[in-house]
Amino acid sequence: MDSLNDSVGASSDPKTAIVRQIQQEAAINNARQLIDKMNNHCFQKCVPTPGSSLSRKEEACLTQCMEKYMATWNTVSRQYIARIQKSSNMGGVGSDEGFGI
């Protein structure tokens, strides 16, 4: 919590500090959702009958699944950020250009 207060106090513009705090909170929430979805998806896919321990096959499947999930997430995130930046440069945040809307 102190880091959020420090980042708010570090900016001379309160509006900018609030926007940064909201962005940080949104990023944390997105990371939590990613981990939750990845765990649920990969566990269901790789561990059909849970037991007291994971087999080597299940461990390998979980590792591969999570790596693919993260790689896909990173690719989608980069493209999304690029589109937002392109939209911002073309006419503001509210512009629909670049999103195919």
Side-chain angles (χ1 to χ4, degrees), residues 6-86:
D6 291 343
S7 68
V8 170
S11 176
S12 61
D13 180 19
K15 183 177 179 181
T16 302
I18 291 170
V19 168
R20 283 190 184 136
Q21 181 177 355
I22 291 169
Q23 288 171 335
Q24 288 174 349
E25 290 174 8
I28 290 168
N29 188 40
N30 285 340
R32 285 182 183 145
Q33 288 179 0
L34 168 65
I35 291 168
D36 187 48
K37 286 179 183 179
M38 182 175 58
N39 284 340
N40 288 333
H41 172 77
C42 293
F43 190 82
Q44 288 176 1
K45 176 183 175 197
C46 297
V47 186
T49 53
S52 60
S53 63
L54 297 174
S55 69
R56 285 190 174 161
K57 181 180 176 183
E58 291 170 335
E59 285 182 19
C61 179
L62 283 168
T63 299
Q64 262 188 331
C65 180
M66 289 182 177
E67 286 174 357
K68 287 179 183 179
Y69 211 93
M70 291 297 292
T72 301
W73 176 269
N74 289 334
T75 300
V76 169
S77 294
R78 280 192 301 271
Q79 291 299 317
Y80 179 71
I81 290 167
R83 286 186 178 196
I84 286 178
Q85 289 172 341
K86 181 179 177 184

Side-chain angles (χ1 to χ4, degrees), residues 87 92-101:
S87 176
V93 175
S95 174
D96 288 340
E97 287 188 53
F99 288 99
I101 297 175

